[in-house]
Amino acid sequence: MIKNDWDNVLKDEFNKDYFKNLMKFINSEYNSKSIYPEYSNIFNALKHTSFNDVKVVILGQDPYHGEGEAHGLSFSVQEGTKIPPSLKNIFKELKTDLNIERKKTDLTDWADQGVLLLNAILTVEKDKPLSHKGKGWEIFTDKIIELLGEREKPIVFILWGNYARSKKNLIKNKSHFIIESAHPSPLSASRGFFDSKPFSRTNEFLKDNGSNIINW
């Protein structure tokens, strides 16, 4: 389904009833409504960052629900789309933290370096946030977090906001590094997201553990 090592890692999930029912629901939704991201981009996060290559996980909740925005990577939007407020604040923190002035809103280059940009819910109906909540995606993505959390090679898990932080119990291996803070949305960014230095802290940890740093 994904055409890299995730296919093997997740093969048991693909055969479970909940996943088969989820895909029936998803196919029906795509056939009858405007659903994002494009069908071919649903598993983009896994396609761009294979299981063995994951160095960092940035966990989001569900895709952007506006036209032309979501493309299967958490917090990332396609070029030419208005930059969402959360991403604007992420870039603001990146500038403060590492003095990097990033303009590109498509974060595929991060994904290709080993940053798994994973939403807990992988699809959404147009203009209806969380419309696919509770349909089965959370079972699937919790399993992904759990499998990564058991992996021996250390990973940085970046958990922004209460929803992402609620997944911390899935990360069992103590050799992983968990960075948690408030969410970058305008409602909460000033309550602990700004000045949390997630990008430099991630790179320091990767360097200390013999991995190449991320070019943010």
PDB file of all heavy atoms in Angstrom, residues 32-60:
ATOM      1  N   SER A  32     -18.219  10.641  -2.594  1.00  0.00           N
ATOM      2  CA  SER A  32     -19.465  11.417  -2.475  1.00  0.00           C
ATOM      3  C   SER A  32     -19.280  12.845  -1.947  1.00  0.00           C
ATOM      4  O   SER A  32     -20.194  13.647  -2.017  1.00  0.00           O
ATOM      5  CB  SER A  32     -20.437  10.679  -1.539  1.00  0.00           C
ATOM      6  OG  SER A  32     -19.851  10.481  -0.262  1.00  0.00           O
ATOM      7  N   LYS A  33     -18.089  13.173  -1.438  1.00  0.00           N
ATOM      8  CA  LYS A  33     -17.875  14.493  -0.825  1.00  0.00           C
ATOM      9  C   LYS A  33     -16.506  15.037  -1.196  1.00  0.00           C
ATOM     10  O   LYS A  33     -15.691  14.338  -1.786  1.00  0.00           O
ATOM     11  CB  LYS A  33     -17.962  14.373   0.711  1.00  0.00           C
ATOM     12  CG  LYS A  33     -19.305  13.908   1.235  1.00  0.00           C
ATOM     13  CD  LYS A  33     -19.219  13.625   2.725  1.00  0.00           C
ATOM     14  CE  LYS A  33     -20.544  13.050   3.246  1.00  0.00           C
ATOM     15  NZ  LYS A  33     -20.407  12.588   4.633  1.00  0.00           N
ATOM     16  N   SER A  34     -16.249  16.288  -0.802  1.00  0.00           N
ATOM     17  CA  SER A  34     -14.907  16.866  -0.966  1.00  0.00           C
ATOM     18  C   SER A  34     -14.096  16.534   0.288  1.00  0.00           C
ATOM     19  O   SER A  34     -14.391  17.035   1.377  1.00  0.00           O
ATOM     20  CB  SER A  34     -14.988  18.391  -1.120  1.00  0.00           C
ATOM     21  OG  SER A  34     -15.602  18.722  -2.332  1.00  0.00           O
ATOM     22  N   ILE A  35     -13.120  15.667   0.115  1.00  0.00           N
ATOM     23  CA  ILE A  35     -12.301  15.191   1.231  1.00  0.00           C
ATOM     24  C   ILE A  35     -10.841  15.551   0.963  1.00  0.00           C
ATOM     25  O   ILE A  35     -10.374  15.480  -0.178  1.00  0.00           O
ATOM     26  CB  ILE A  35     -12.436  13.656   1.408  1.00  0.00           C
ATOM     27  CG1 ILE A  35     -13.907  13.232   1.516  1.00  0.00           C
ATOM     28  CG2 ILE A  35     -11.631  13.168   2.617  1.00  0.00           C
ATOM     29  CD1 ILE A  35     -14.648  13.731   2.738  1.00  0.00           C
ATOM     30  N   TYR A  36     -10.134  15.937   2.018  1.00  0.00           N
ATOM     31  CA  TYR A  36      -8.713  16.281   1.898  1.00  0.00           C
ATOM     32  C   TYR A  36      -7.883  15.372   2.795  1.00  0.00           C
ATOM     33  O   TYR A  36      -8.383  14.916   3.821  1.00  0.00           O
ATOM     34  CB  TYR A  36      -8.487  17.743   2.302  1.00  0.00           C
ATOM     35  CG  TYR A  36      -9.277  18.724   1.481  1.00  0.00           C
ATOM     36  CD1 TYR A  36     -10.014  19.732   2.098  1.00  0.00           C
ATOM     37  CD2 TYR A  36      -9.318  18.648   0.085  1.00  0.00           C
ATOM     38  CE1 TYR A  36     -10.752  20.640   1.357  1.00  0.00           C
ATOM     39  CE2 TYR A  36     -10.055  19.550  -0.666  1.00  0.00           C
ATOM     40  CZ  TYR A  36     -10.772  20.548  -0.020  1.00  0.00           C
ATOM     41  OH  TYR A  36     -11.506  21.431  -0.758  1.00  0.00           O
ATOM     42  N   PRO A  37      -6.606  15.131   2.424  1.00  0.00           N
ATOM     43  CA  PRO A  37      -5.937  15.557   1.198  1.00  0.00           C
ATOM     44  C   PRO A  37      -6.440  14.743  -0.005  1.00  0.00           C
ATOM     45  O   PRO A  37      -7.352  13.942   0.153  1.00  0.00           O
ATOM     46  CB  PRO A  37      -4.467  15.227   1.491  1.00  0.00           C
ATOM     47  CG  PRO A  37      -4.529  14.036   2.398  1.00  0.00           C
ATOM     48  CD  PRO A  37      -5.749  14.253   3.245  1.00  0.00           C
ATOM     49  N   GLU A  38      -5.849  14.963  -1.163  1.00  0.00           N
ATOM     50  CA  GLU A  38      -6.183  14.108  -2.311  1.00  0.00           C
ATOM     51  C   GLU A  38      -5.968  12.656  -1.918  1.00  0.00           C
ATOM     52  O   GLU A  38      -5.064  12.338  -1.145  1.00  0.00           O
ATOM     53  CB  GLU A  38      -5.262  14.435  -3.504  1.00  0.00           C
ATOM     54  CG  GLU A  38      -5.667  15.651  -4.278  1.00  0.00           C
ATOM     55  CD  GLU A  38      -4.764  15.867  -5.486  1.00  0.00           C
ATOM     56  OE1 GLU A  38      -4.171  14.873  -5.983  1.00  0.00           O
ATOM     57  OE2 GLU A  38      -4.644  17.019  -5.921  1.00  0.00           O
ATOM     58  N   TYR A  39      -6.775  11.779  -2.498  1.00  0.00           N
ATOM     59  CA  TYR A  39      -6.739  10.358  -2.126  1.00  0.00           C
ATOM     60  C   TYR A  39      -5.320   9.783  -2.200  1.00  0.00           C
ATOM     61  O   TYR A  39      -4.887   9.049  -1.310  1.00  0.00           O
ATOM     62  CB  TYR A  39      -7.685   9.568  -3.031  1.00  0.00           C
ATOM     63  CG  TYR A  39      -7.941   8.155  -2.558  1.00  0.00           C
ATOM     64  CD1 TYR A  39      -8.920   7.890  -1.603  1.00  0.00           C
ATOM     65  CD2 TYR A  39      -7.207   7.081  -3.069  1.00  0.00           C
ATOM     66  CE1 TYR A  39      -9.159   6.595  -1.159  1.00  0.00           C
ATOM     67  CE2 TYR A  39      -7.432   5.786  -2.631  1.00  0.00           C
ATOM     68  CZ  TYR A  39      -8.417   5.547  -1.677  1.00  0.00           C
ATOM     69  OH  TYR A  39      -8.646   4.267  -1.233  1.00  0.00           O
ATOM     70  N   SER A  40      -4.601  10.166  -3.219  1.00  0.00           N
ATOM     71  CA  SER A  40      -3.243   9.609  -3.413  1.00  0.00           C
ATOM     72  C   SER A  40      -2.249  10.114  -2.364  1.00  0.00           C
ATOM     73  O   SER A  40      -1.149   9.584  -2.235  1.00  0.00           O
ATOM     74  CB  SER A  40      -2.729   9.950  -4.812  1.00  0.00           C
ATOM     75  OG  SER A  40      -2.667  11.357  -4.972  1.00  0.00           O
ATOM     76  N   ASN A  41      -2.652  11.148  -1.619  1.00  0.00           N
ATOM     77  CA  ASN A  41      -1.746  11.734  -0.620  1.00  0.00           C
ATOM     78  C   ASN A  41      -2.072  11.338   0.817  1.00  0.00           C
ATOM     79  O   ASN A  41      -1.412  11.806   1.750  1.00  0.00           O
ATOM     80  CB  ASN A  41      -1.772  13.269  -0.711  1.00  0.00           C
ATOM     81  CG  ASN A  41      -1.053  13.786  -1.941  1.00  0.00           C
ATOM     82  OD1 ASN A  41      -0.189  13.118  -2.486  1.00  0.00           O
ATOM     83  ND2 ASN A  41      -1.426  14.972  -2.391  1.00  0.00           N
ATOM     84  N   ILE A  42      -3.066  10.474   1.012  1.00  0.00           N
ATOM     85  CA  ILE A  42      -3.481  10.123   2.380  1.00  0.00           C
ATOM     86  C   ILE A  42      -2.286   9.634   3.211  1.00  0.00           C
ATOM     87  O   ILE A  42      -2.111  10.031   4.365  1.00  0.00           O
ATOM     88  CB  ILE A  42      -4.594   9.040   2.368  1.00  0.00           C
ATOM     89  CG1 ILE A  42      -5.888   9.590   1.773  1.00  0.00           C
ATOM     90  CG2 ILE A  42      -4.849   8.525   3.782  1.00  0.00           C
ATOM     91  CD1 ILE A  42      -6.993   8.534   1.599  1.00  0.00           C
ATOM     92  N   PHE A  43      -1.465   8.762   2.611  1.00  0.00           N
ATOM     93  CA  PHE A  43      -0.353   8.147   3.355  1.00  0.00           C
ATOM     94  C   PHE A  43       0.994   8.804   3.041  1.00  0.00           C
ATOM     95  O   PHE A  43       2.044   8.183   3.197  1.00  0.00           O
ATOM     96  CB  PHE A  43      -0.292   6.644   3.054  1.00  0.00           C
ATOM     97  CG  PHE A  43      -1.514   5.897   3.517  1.00  0.00           C
ATOM     98  CD1 PHE A  43      -2.473   5.475   2.609  1.00  0.00           C
ATOM     99  CD2 PHE A  43      -1.720   5.626   4.867  1.00  0.00           C
ATOM    100  CE1 PHE A  43      -3.618   4.785   3.028  1.00  0.00           C
ATOM    101  CE2 PHE A  43      -2.848   4.942   5.297  1.00  0.00           C
ATOM    102  CZ  PHE A  43      -3.803   4.524   4.382  1.00  0.00           C
ATOM    103  N   ASN A  44       0.947  10.075   2.639  1.00  0.00           N
ATOM    104  CA  ASN A  44       2.168  10.780   2.247  1.00  0.00           C
ATOM    105  C   ASN A  44       3.251  10.754   3.317  1.00  0.00           C
ATOM    106  O   ASN A  44       4.438  10.600   3.012  1.00  0.00           O
ATOM    107  CB  ASN A  44       1.838  12.246   1.924  1.00  0.00           C
ATOM    108  CG  ASN A  44       2.216  12.600   0.504  1.00  0.00           C
ATOM    109  OD1 ASN A  44       2.665  11.743  -0.253  1.00  0.00           O
ATOM    110  ND2 ASN A  44       2.031  13.844   0.137  1.00  0.00           N
ATOM    111  N   ALA A  45       2.856  10.921   4.587  1.00  0.00           N
ATOM    112  CA  ALA A  45       3.847  10.951   5.669  1.00  0.00           C
ATOM    113  C   ALA A  45       4.666   9.662   5.693  1.00  0.00           C
ATOM    114  O   ALA A  45       5.888   9.682   5.857  1.00  0.00           O
ATOM    115  CB  ALA A  45       3.144  11.165   7.012  1.00  0.00           C
ATOM    116  N   LEU A  46       3.977   8.536   5.499  1.00  0.00           N
ATOM    117  CA  LEU A  46       4.666   7.238   5.530  1.00  0.00           C
ATOM    118  C   LEU A  46       5.467   6.999   4.254  1.00  0.00           C
ATOM    119  O   LEU A  46       6.515   6.357   4.288  1.00  0.00           O
ATOM    120  CB  LEU A  46       3.647   6.111   5.732  1.00  0.00           C
ATOM    121  CG  LEU A  46       2.756   6.221   6.979  1.00  0.00           C
ATOM    122  CD1 LEU A  46       1.808   5.034   7.070  1.00  0.00           C
ATOM    123  CD2 LEU A  46       3.592   6.315   8.260  1.00  0.00           C
ATOM    124  N   LYS A  47       4.978   7.525   3.135  1.00  0.00           N
ATOM    125  CA  LYS A  47       5.697   7.345   1.866  1.00  0.00           C
ATOM    126  C   LYS A  47       7.025   8.090   1.870  1.00  0.00           C
ATOM    127  O   LYS A  47       8.019   7.623   1.327  1.00  0.00           O
ATOM    128  CB  LYS A  47       4.838   7.843   0.696  1.00  0.00           C
ATOM    129  CG  LYS A  47       3.654   6.942   0.370  1.00  0.00           C
ATOM    130  CD  LYS A  47       2.779   7.584  -0.705  1.00  0.00           C
ATOM    131  CE  LYS A  47       1.538   6.774  -0.985  1.00  0.00           C
ATOM    132  NZ  LYS A  47       0.595   7.478  -1.868  1.00  0.00           N
ATOM    133  N   HIS A  48       7.029   9.274   2.487  1.00  0.00           N
ATOM    134  CA  HIS A  48       8.242  10.106   2.457  1.00  0.00           C
ATOM    135  C   HIS A  48       9.244   9.754   3.548  1.00  0.00           C
ATOM    136  O   HIS A  48      10.425  10.088   3.432  1.00  0.00           O
ATOM    137  CB  HIS A  48       7.869  11.593   2.558  1.00  0.00           C
ATOM    138  CG  HIS A  48       7.420  12.177   1.268  1.00  0.00           C
ATOM    139  ND1 HIS A  48       8.292  12.603   0.286  1.00  0.00           N
ATOM    140  CD2 HIS A  48       6.176  12.372   0.763  1.00  0.00           C
ATOM    141  CE1 HIS A  48       7.614  13.049  -0.750  1.00  0.00           C
ATOM    142  NE2 HIS A  48       6.332  12.927  -0.486  1.00  0.00           N
ATOM    143  N   THR A  49       8.782   9.111   4.615  1.00  0.00           N
ATOM    144  CA  THR A  49       9.662   8.793   5.735  1.00  0.00           C
ATOM    145  C   THR A  49       9.458   7.342   6.135  1.00  0.00           C
ATOM    146  O   THR A  49       8.489   7.017   6.817  1.00  0.00           O
ATOM    147  CB  THR A  49       9.368   9.719   6.943  1.00  0.00           C
ATOM    148  OG1 THR A  49       9.208  11.066   6.481  1.00  0.00           O
ATOM    149  CG2 THR A  49      10.486   9.670   7.954  1.00  0.00           C
ATOM    150  N   SER A  50      10.338   6.476   5.694  1.00  0.00           N
ATOM    151  CA  SER A  50      10.172   5.054   5.996  1.00  0.00           C
ATOM    152  C   SER A  50      10.453   4.784   7.478  1.00  0.00           C
ATOM    153  O   SER A  50      11.091   5.588   8.157  1.00  0.00           O
ATOM    154  CB  SER A  50      11.100   4.210   5.118  1.00  0.00           C
ATOM    155  OG  SER A  50      12.444   4.465   5.444  1.00  0.00           O
ATOM    156  N   PHE A  51       9.959   3.665   7.968  1.00  0.00           N
ATOM    157  CA  PHE A  51      10.069   3.313   9.392  1.00  0.00           C
ATOM    158  C   PHE A  51      11.514   3.399   9.889  1.00  0.00           C
ATOM    159  O   PHE A  51      11.800   4.011  10.922  1.00  0.00           O
ATOM    160  CB  PHE A  51       9.508   1.897   9.609  1.00  0.00           C
ATOM    161  CG  PHE A  51       9.599   1.412  11.038  1.00  0.00           C
ATOM    162  CD1 PHE A  51       8.692   1.841  11.988  1.00  0.00           C
ATOM    163  CD2 PHE A  51      10.587   0.511  11.421  1.00  0.00           C
ATOM    164  CE1 PHE A  51       8.769   1.400  13.312  1.00  0.00           C
ATOM    165  CE2 PHE A  51      10.672   0.069  12.737  1.00  0.00           C
ATOM    166  CZ  PHE A  51       9.758   0.508  13.675  1.00  0.00           C
ATOM    167  N   ASN A  52      12.420   2.796   9.159  1.00  0.00           N
ATOM    168  CA  ASN A  52      13.822   2.757   9.607  1.00  0.00           C
ATOM    169  C   ASN A  52      14.524   4.102   9.516  1.00  0.00           C
ATOM    170  O   ASN A  52      15.564   4.310  10.144  1.00  0.00           O
ATOM    171  CB  ASN A  52      14.608   1.708   8.811  1.00  0.00           C
ATOM    172  CG  ASN A  52      14.275   0.295   9.263  1.00  0.00           C
ATOM    173  OD1 ASN A  52      14.074   0.060  10.452  1.00  0.00           O
ATOM    174  ND2 ASN A  52      14.186  -0.635   8.334  1.00  0.00           N
ATOM    175  N   ASP A  53      13.959   5.021   8.716  1.00  0.00           N
ATOM    176  CA  ASP A  53      14.587   6.334   8.526  1.00  0.00           C
ATOM    177  C   ASP A  53      14.059   7.408   9.472  1.00  0.00           C
ATOM    178  O   ASP A  53      14.561   8.536   9.463  1.00  0.00           O
ATOM    179  CB  ASP A  53      14.384   6.813   7.078  1.00  0.00           C
ATOM    180  CG  ASP A  53      15.204   6.009   6.086  1.00  0.00           C
ATOM    181  OD1 ASP A  53      16.173   5.359   6.507  1.00  0.00           O
ATOM    182  OD2 ASP A  53      14.869   6.025   4.880  1.00  0.00           O
ATOM    183  N   VAL A  54      13.036   7.081  10.264  1.00  0.00           N
ATOM    184  CA  VAL A  54      12.452   8.105  11.145  1.00  0.00           C
ATOM    185  C   VAL A  54      13.462   8.542  12.204  1.00  0.00           C
ATOM    186  O   VAL A  54      13.998   7.728  12.948  1.00  0.00           O
ATOM    187  CB  VAL A  54      11.159   7.592  11.831  1.00  0.00           C
ATOM    188  CG1 VAL A  54      10.659   8.630  12.847  1.00  0.00           C
ATOM    189  CG2 VAL A  54      10.064   7.290  10.822  1.00  0.00           C
ATOM    190  N   LYS A  55      13.725   9.853  12.230  1.00  0.00           N
ATOM    191  CA  LYS A  55      14.590  10.440  13.270  1.00  0.00           C
ATOM    192  C   LYS A  55      13.754  11.288  14.233  1.00  0.00           C
ATOM    193  O   LYS A  55      14.097  11.429  15.402  1.00  0.00           O
ATOM    194  CB  LYS A  55      15.637  11.361  12.636  1.00  0.00           C
ATOM    195  CG  LYS A  55      16.621  10.698  11.709  1.00  0.00           C
ATOM    196  CD  LYS A  55      17.514  11.803  11.144  1.00  0.00           C
ATOM    197  CE  LYS A  55      18.443  11.267  10.091  1.00  0.00           C
ATOM    198  NZ  LYS A  55      19.206  12.375   9.472  1.00  0.00           N
ATOM    199  N   VAL A  56      12.696  11.896  13.672  1.00  0.00           N
ATOM    200  CA  VAL A  56      11.871  12.847  14.415  1.00  0.00           C
ATOM    201  C   VAL A  56      10.410  12.586  14.059  1.00  0.00           C
ATOM    202  O   VAL A  56      10.102  12.270  12.911  1.00  0.00           O
ATOM    203  CB  VAL A  56      12.232  14.312  14.020  1.00  0.00           C
ATOM    204  CG1 VAL A  56      11.441  15.317  14.857  1.00  0.00           C
ATOM    205  CG2 VAL A  56      13.718  14.574  14.116  1.00  0.00           C
ATOM    206  N   VAL A  57       9.525  12.711  15.037  1.00  0.00           N
ATOM    207  CA  VAL A  57       8.088  12.654  14.780  1.00  0.00           C
ATOM    208  C   VAL A  57       7.475  13.975  15.234  1.00  0.00           C
ATOM    209  O   VAL A  57       7.694  14.403  16.370  1.00  0.00           O
ATOM    210  CB  VAL A  57       7.404  11.496  15.555  1.00  0.00           C
ATOM    211  CG1 VAL A  57       5.896  11.492  15.307  1.00  0.00           C
ATOM    212  CG2 VAL A  57       8.005  10.146  15.161  1.00  0.00           C
ATOM    213  N   ILE A  58       6.753  14.643  14.333  1.00  0.00           N
ATOM    214  CA  ILE A  58       5.975  15.828  14.718  1.00  0.00           C
ATOM    215  C   ILE A  58       4.508  15.464  14.534  1.00  0.00           C
ATOM    216  O   ILE A  58       4.056  15.209  13.420  1.00  0.00           O
ATOM    217  CB  ILE A  58       6.341  17.074  13.888  1.00  0.00           C
ATOM    218  CG1 ILE A  58       7.816  17.428  14.071  1.00  0.00           C
ATOM    219  CG2 ILE A  58       5.448  18.253  14.290  1.00  0.00           C
ATOM    220  CD1 ILE A  58       8.280  18.675  13.301  1.00  0.00           C
ATOM    221  N   LEU A  59       3.790  15.417  15.640  1.00  0.00           N
ATOM    222  CA  LEU A  59       2.426  14.897  15.633  1.00  0.00           C
ATOM    223  C   LEU A  59       1.390  16.019  15.553  1.00  0.00           C
ATOM    224  O   LEU A  59       1.393  16.939  16.376  1.00  0.00           O
ATOM    225  CB  LEU A  59       2.201  14.066  16.893  1.00  0.00           C
ATOM    226  CG  LEU A  59       0.925  13.235  16.955  1.00  0.00           C
ATOM    227  CD1 LEU A  59       0.904  12.172  15.859  1.00  0.00           C
ATOM    228  CD2 LEU A  59       0.782  12.581  18.316  1.00  0.00           C
ATOM    229  N   GLY A  60       0.509  15.921  14.559  1.00  0.00           N
ATOM    230  CA  GLY A  60      -0.624  16.838  14.440  1.00  0.00           C
ATOM    231  C   GLY A  60      -1.921  16.089  14.709  1.00  0.00           C
ATOM    232  O   GLY A  60      -1.908  14.881  14.958  1.00  0.00           O
TER     233      GLY A  60
END
